Amino acid sequence: MEQFLLLSEGELTLKGHNRRFFENVLIDNITECLSKHNLSIKREKRGRLYIKLDNSINVNVLIDSLSKIPGLKVIYQGYKIKRDFDIALNVIVNLLKNAKSFKIQASRVDKNFEPNSLEINKLLGQKVLDNMNSIKVDIKNPEIIVFVEVFSDHFKVYSRIKNALGGLPYGSSGKAICLLSTGIDSPVAAFLMLKRGVEIIPLYFHTPPYTGNNALEKVKNLVRNLLKFTVQRIKLYIVNYTEIQLSIKKNIPEKYWTIVSRRFMGRIAEDIATIEKARAIVTGESLGQVASQTISNLAAIDKVFNIPVFRPLIGMDKEEIVKIAQHIDTYDISIRPGIDCCTLFSPKHPETKAKYYEFIDSEKEILKYLRNNYSFVTEVIK
Amino acid sequence: MIYLDYAATHPVYSDIVHNLHDIVNKYHYNPSSLYEPAINTRIFYESQRAKIAEFLCVNEKNVIFTSSATEGANLIIKGLNYKNRKMIVLWKAEHACVFKTVVNHRDVEYKLLENPEGYITYDDIKNNIDKSTRLVCLMHVNNETGAINEINDIAKKIKEVDKEILVLSDMVQSFAKIPINLEYIDFATFSSHKIGGLRGAAGVYIKDKNQLKPLIDGGGQEYGLRSGTENVLSVYSMAQAMEVARDIYTAKNNHLISLNDYMRDICKNKKYSINSPEKSVPYIFNFSTKVLPSEVLINGLSEKGIYVSSASACSEKSHNTSRILKSMGLEDDVINTSIRVSIHPSTKLKDLKEFFNALDEIISLYK
């Protein structure tokens, strides 16, 4: 008897000619994850991936880390056994532990095998009912479906153990620069794009001394936390933003501080996109959440961009965002107390309908001497 | 590097560091074992207790060692019997190890003392104690402002009214730095790392050990009040540091006072808010610029290699705003911009000058 996990790919099955490409990326990512456990993967037919387990593995930990790999849809757990219905019954009983209802779904790869699939369903179903109390057959809506596949020299018996993340394999959709702060929203935005296969390059605007090493550590923690979804390493850009922030405060009418600041951040993000050959920018804005996130202000911010800006949270309520942040474990990091120094640079009465001409001239002044005059460092988080 | 955060922790004196190697090698035996080197270890360990007891003018049987002053406060507050008296009276500005332990205790009721002067007098207490009062908790020196409570006098007056009321005083910030009199005090806590010894050792003075139940049971060490194999090394460092600190703080008291006067003068000139009452120790000084949040100043100073602290996080959403500054009725802009400078006899005037210059630079950059 051999214990195994079976992984099914998500949307990849819908891809046509490109499927092989997506699959290769996915398999690379899974292989990296499995290497920690000294396991390897085998490609099977019908877009399935097979992992042979051994007794030294903490299966729950493995399943948990696999369930966080973008591009996987379902994880099945099961047994490869001799073609023997009594052994099959034993492992089925094991798979059905604590379940209230089930059905058996047999299929034969070896078409010469007798009895046929329907008969196997009946036969094994009856054996389960004879051996387990308080469990019912439910054909339409069973709690657990036990799959029994008949091969020429073995059975595979398995059932679904966990839904995985879905989405597309990390890195298969190209690269994007993600504006990351210490707040709740931007890590969620980064996660959602990461789940769609985007390789994310987070960018943090550091404003010492107004933001301290505490905040920087928080950002690194947030990035570190995203690693578990991506297998690979993440390169974090840290831009020293103090000089720009101070000259905005000194030269721009107060009500436009935030908007102009976002425009500068946008320009810098695009610079870094060029360096990194990234094709898009990701932000955590949600429409109307704060003054800088009204339609007219977003429009004013968008004017500085020449590449697409993705705002995966744009239509979400705060509660929905918080829910995802909790789900991906960034919430607890984001709410750790720390200085919120945006307040030092945020207007008391922010403009909600930006009028271009009111700040454009003074912005040009700052642009003249600060456009290319900022410093950054990068740090690979792994 | 200019270190102005001695109230947070005190670097271990280098002479002590130098001795540790020999002590580790000589006294690594379990003091409870019966062979000769173990017995020597016990004798050595007990001689540290004797030193500390002598310094405090108490019997060595009334000094027990714990892992931290926090543990000591927990031992007393949780170890007392509240069957007949349930009330604890404490200063609102007590250190968290006393404050939270009382507030979270399920079997007691509590009353909070406050006084806008920034310290507590017997008058603040007298109307808050009665036949239900089990314990009064009042720290000797406040860790954020340096304010001094005349704890022994206050304890004396409490005892005159009702001998059954016990008095606990957190002496972490005063131990070995200013004179201490425990005559009317029932419990006092002190710590090694605040005076230049190692972490992992602290002490509790307990007038009557029968009043307490242990928090940590086991092999019965420390008169059965704190089981666990003795931390010979850290306790040694605490006793050594106590002697060093006692001498140097006494000898350099005038120097500390002149440094404190200097800081007060600068703050008056610059119209900063001075948060430390006149009646404070000279080595802890608290003030507010009212311009930039504490954390910004701490970050900016840190970039320049100058290290200070503040109890207040600046964020409006912050939960840990300073209890003492709040109880003094100070405005939010004072509380949120407060800075604590805590110095040592080795601190030089030029260190403080450099500190204030750096502060000016940081503030003018923002303005």
Side-chain angles (χ1 to χ4, degrees):
Chain A
M1 184 160 58
E2 177 176 310
Q3 212 190 335
F4 64 82
L5 295 179
L6 209 54
L7 314 176
S8 86
E9 298 166 358
E11 290 174 33
L12 299 198
T13 43
L14 304 174
K15 306 280 173 204
H17 295 306
N18 292 329
R19 177 163 169 184
R20 206 67 183 170
F21 162 75
F22 284 99
E23 240 174 37
N24 286 341
V25 177
L26 178 62
I27 285 172
D28 282 352
N29 292 346
I30 297 171
T31 306
E32 176 112 17
C33 167
L34 291 178
S35 66
K36 283 178 249 162
H37 302 268
N38 282 324
L39 291 172
S40 57
I41 199 160
K42 215 169 76 195
R43 222 183 259 232
E44 286 203 336
K45 282 180 184 153
R46 289 176 287 168
R48 299 193 319 189
L49 305 162
Y50 183 91
I51 302 167
K52 178 183 164 188
L53 300 177
D54 65 55
N55 284 334
S56 65
I57 305 290
N58 183 334
V59 181
N60 289 333
V61 171
L62 176 65
I63 289 170
D64 188 59
S65 41
L66 287 169
S67 72
K68 295 189 166 74
I69 296 178
L72 282 183
K73 194 157 183 217
V74 185
I75 301 169
Y76 302 92
Q77 186 175 15
Y79 303 88
K80 184 171 162 185
I81 56 173
K82 272 195 266 172
R83 304 211 300 189
D84 178 322
F85 286 117
D86 286 328
I87 300 175
L89 174 67
N90 273 338
V91 301
I92 291 171
V93 167
N94 204 12
L95 292 171
L96 289 177
K97 232 183 287 164
N98 303 326
K100 293 199 174 61
S101 65
F102 76 105
K103 83 170 178 186
I104 307 280
Q105 191 166 318
S107 60
R108 292 176 305 162
V109 178
D110 175 8
K111 294 288 182 200
N112 296 322
F113 185 81
E114 293 286 342
N116 68 23
S117 303
L118 272 177
E119 289 160 345
I120 296 174
N121 292 347
K122 274 189 198 157
L123 176 95
L124 283 172
Q126 190 54 52
K127 273 179 184 280
V128 170
L129 291 174
D130 292 346
N131 275 275
M132 293 180 80
N133 299 324
S134 68
I135 191 165
K136 290 185 312 195
V137 173
D138 185 341
I139 302 293
K140 273 193 182 150
N141 195 17
E143 188 182 329
I144 293 180
I145 304 171
V146 176
F147 299 92
V148 178
E149 289 173 1
V150 179
F151 294 84
S152 58
D153 61 346
H154 65 274
F155 287 168
K156 267 186 194 144
V157 182
Y158 59 91
S159 64
R160 181 173 70 182
I161 186 88
K162 192 166 186 174
N163 282 338
L165 205 56
L168 296 171
Y170 182 70
S172 66
S173 304
K175 286 201 260 189
I177 305 294
C178 291
L179 270 57
L180 199 66
S181 71
T182 55
I184 295 166
D185 298 354
S186 54
V188 173
F191 162 74
L192 289 173
M193 297 319 298
L194 166 167
K195 182 170 162 271
R196 290 307 297 171
V198 175
E199 180 183 342
I200 55 164
I201 300 165
L203 164 57
Y204 172 62
F205 291 93
H206 191 32
T207 325
Y210 311 102
T211 56
N213 288 329
N214 261 342
L216 195 56
E217 217 27 65
K218 211 162 142 182
V219 166
K220 288 179 192 172
N221 262 329
L222 288 168
V223 174
R224 212 165 286 132
N225 197 64
L226 291 173
L227 283 175
K228 64 183 174 212
F229 299 104
T230 63
V231 187
Q232 295 139 339
R233 59 201 65 197
I234 297 178
K235 187 175 181 183
L236 166 69
Y237 273 79
I238 302 157
V239 169
N240 187 321
Y241 194 60
T242 306
E243 205 181 341
I244 297 177
Q245 187 74 76
L246 283 171
S247 52
I248 290 172
K249 177 178 177 284
K250 280 166 196 168
N251 297 297
I252 302 285
E254 181 173 330
K255 60 179 181 176
Y256 286 117
W257 285 353
T258 312
I259 296 164
V260 173
S261 183
R262 301 296 290 181
R263 283 164 61 89
F264 267 94
M265 289 178 180
R267 291 183 186 102
I268 293 170
E270 203 164 298
D271 289 352
I272 287 165
T274 313
I275 299 170
E276 284 292 332
K277 299 193 172 61
R279 307 297 292 275
I281 287 163
V282 178
T283 73
E285 283 140 336
S286 153
L287 190 66
Q289 197 192 84
V290 292
S292 65
Q293 297 174 16
T294 61
I295 288 185
S296 23
N297 288 354
L298 289 175
I301 294 164
D302 264 358
K303 289 232 163 62
V304 303
F305 292 113
N306 298 300
I307 58 174
V309 181
F310 297 147
R311 297 185 167 96
L313 312 184
I314 198 72
M316 282 191 199
D317 294 349
K318 193 74 184 182
E319 277 162 42
E320 295 170 287
I321 300 169
V322 164
K323 222 178 212 172
I324 301 174
Q326 283 165 335
H327 179 67
I328 62 174
D329 300 327
T330 55
Y331 183 74
D332 286 339
I333 305 172
S334 292
I335 60 165
R336 269 179 218 159
I339 182 170
D340 187 3
C341 266
C342 300
T343 52
L344 285 176
F345 298 103
S346 44
K348 286 189 189 72
H349 306 289
E351 181 57 68
T352 52
K353 289 177 185 147
K355 287 170 215 78
Y356 226 38
Y357 58 87
E358 288 188 357
F359 62 81
I360 201 73
D361 289 340
S362 13
E363 188 189 75
K364 269 182 196 149
E365 281 305 302
I366 310 177
L367 269 173
K368 243 187 261 167
Y369 64 97
L370 280 182
R371 176 65 189 92
N372 296 310
N373 218 354
Y374 56 88
S375 64
F376 63 80
V377 291
T378 61
E379 188 171 327
V380 175
I381 310 277
K382 53 186 176 184
Chain B
M1 195 265 276
I2 299 177
Y3 186 70
L4 300 173
D5 202 19
Y6 287 91
T9 194
H10 193 303
V12 182
Y13 286 109
S14 53
D15 285 353
I16 297 178
V17 175
H18 184 78
N19 292 341
L20 292 177
H21 188 257
D22 287 347
I23 303 292
V24 172
N25 284 331
K26 205 165 164 191
Y27 297 113
H28 61 261
Y29 303 91
N30 190 323
S32 300
S33 297
L34 297 176
Y35 35 83
E36 200 188 338
I39 292 167
N40 288 339
T41 303
R42 160 139 301 263
I43 292 169
F44 176 74
Y45 182 72
E46 289 304 327
S47 70
Q48 310 308 315
R49 194 192 309 276
K51 260 187 218 169
I52 291 172
E54 192 191 338
F55 169 72
L56 293 172
C57 300
V58 298
N59 190 308
E60 60 193 75
K61 290 199 172 67
N62 298 104
V63 174
I64 75 149
F65 296 128
T66 57
S67 67
S68 64
T70 296
E71 188 197 322
N74 272 265
L75 167 65
I76 292 153
I77 293 163
K78 292 177 181 166
L80 278 173
N81 185 334
Y82 298 96
K83 214 170 164 190
N84 301 319
R85 291 171 173 243
K86 284 196 183 330
M87 182 63 70
I88 297 181
V89 176
L90 72 158
W91 191 18
K92 206 176 179 179
E94 287 296 305
H95 187 276
C97 70
V98 169
F99 189 83
K100 285 200 177 159
T101 309
V102 172
V103 168
N104 293 335
H105 199 308
R106 288 185 186 167
D107 301 335
V108 306
E109 292 159 19
Y110 63 89
K111 279 185 197 160
L112 297 175
L113 303 168
E114 56 185 319
N115 184 332
E117 295 292 334
Y119 55 86
I120 293 296
T121 64
Y122 178 68
D123 285 345
D124 301 317
I125 296 177
K126 65 181 178 196
N127 295 326
N128 286 299
I129 51 174
D130 56 30
K131 290 286 166 211
S132 71
T133 311
R134 165 86 295 176
L135 183 67
V136 173
C137 303
L138 187 58
M139 67 205 313
H140 190 195
V141 168
N142 182 271
N143 53 307
E144 286 179 50
T145 62
I148 302 173
N149 290 311
E150 297 298 347
I151 181 65
N152 196 49
D153 291 349
I154 293 172
K156 184 181 176 196
K157 287 176 184 151
I158 293 172
K159 299 284 182 184
E160 281 166 9
V161 174
D162 185 346
K163 272 189 209 143
E164 300 282 300
I165 299 176
L166 303 171
V167 176
L168 158 63
S169 185
D170 166 353
M171 299 202 158
V172 167
Q173 296 294 349
S174 58
F175 177 60
K177 295 180 177 177
I178 59 170
I180 285 175
N181 183 354
L182 295 175
E183 191 177 354
Y184 295 96
I185 312 268
D186 297 281
F187 309 104
T189 57
F190 48 92
S191 172
S192 164
H193 80 101
K194 302 282 194 201
I195 57 167
L198 295 177
R199 285 161 214 191
V204 191
Y205 162 71
I206 301 171
K207 187 170 268 173
D208 178 1
K209 296 201 289 288
N210 295 321
Q211 288 166 321
L212 292 179
K213 272 195 329 197
L215 270 186
I216 299 173
D217 259 317
Q221 289 89 343
E222 302 297 324
Y223 306 101
L225 279 176
R226 205 286 181 181
S227 291
T229 302
E230 294 87 343
N231 188 346
V232 178
L233 190 71
S234 290
V235 165
Y236 159 78
S237 76
M238 174 160 67
Q240 287 294 108
M242 179 195 76
E243 290 181 339
V244 177
R246 176 196 60 201
D247 294 346
I248 188 171
Y249 276 82
T250 311
K252 294 269 199 164
N253 191 41
N254 287 336
H255 172 64
L256 288 170
I257 290 171
S258 71
L259 292 182
N260 188 280
D261 288 345
Y262 171 77
M263 292 192 279
R264 282 179 189 267
D265 286 345
I266 294 255
C267 288
K268 271 176 210 154
N269 287 338
K270 295 198 177 292
K271 304 218 159 37
Y272 293 160
S273 158
I274 296 175
N275 308 325
S276 292
E278 286 292 334
K279 220 178 64 153
S280 296
V281 292
Y283 50 84
I284 298 177
F285 181 66
N286 194 307
F287 70 98
S288 300
T289 62
K290 293 183 278 185
V291 183
L292 278 171
S294 317
E295 207 173 324
V296 172
L297 295 174
I298 292 167
N299 293 338
L301 290 164
S302 166
E303 281 175 17
K304 298 171 195 286
I306 302 171
Y307 306 125
V308 296
S309 275
S310 164
S312 294
C314 85
S315 162
E316 289 153 25
K317 293 169 228 154
S318 169
H319 315 289
N320 25 316
T321 188
S322 162
R323 267 180 279 115
I324 176 131
L325 301 183
K326 200 121 197 156
S327 79
M328 291 166 72
L330 297 169
E331 299 291 324
D332 279 352
D333 70 329
V334 173
I335 296 175
N336 294 336
T337 64
S338 70
I339 292 285
R340 177 188 70 185
V341 179
S342 51
I343 58 178
H344 181 261
S346 65
T347 305
K348 296 182 179 62
L349 183 62
K350 77 170 174 42
D351 298 335
L352 295 181
K353 283 185 176 160
E354 207 168 308
F355 160 71
F356 279 109
N357 286 340
L359 207 59
D360 283 347
E361 272 177 42
I362 295 163
I363 289 171
S364 63
L365 201 66
Y366 177 74
K367 273 183 171 170

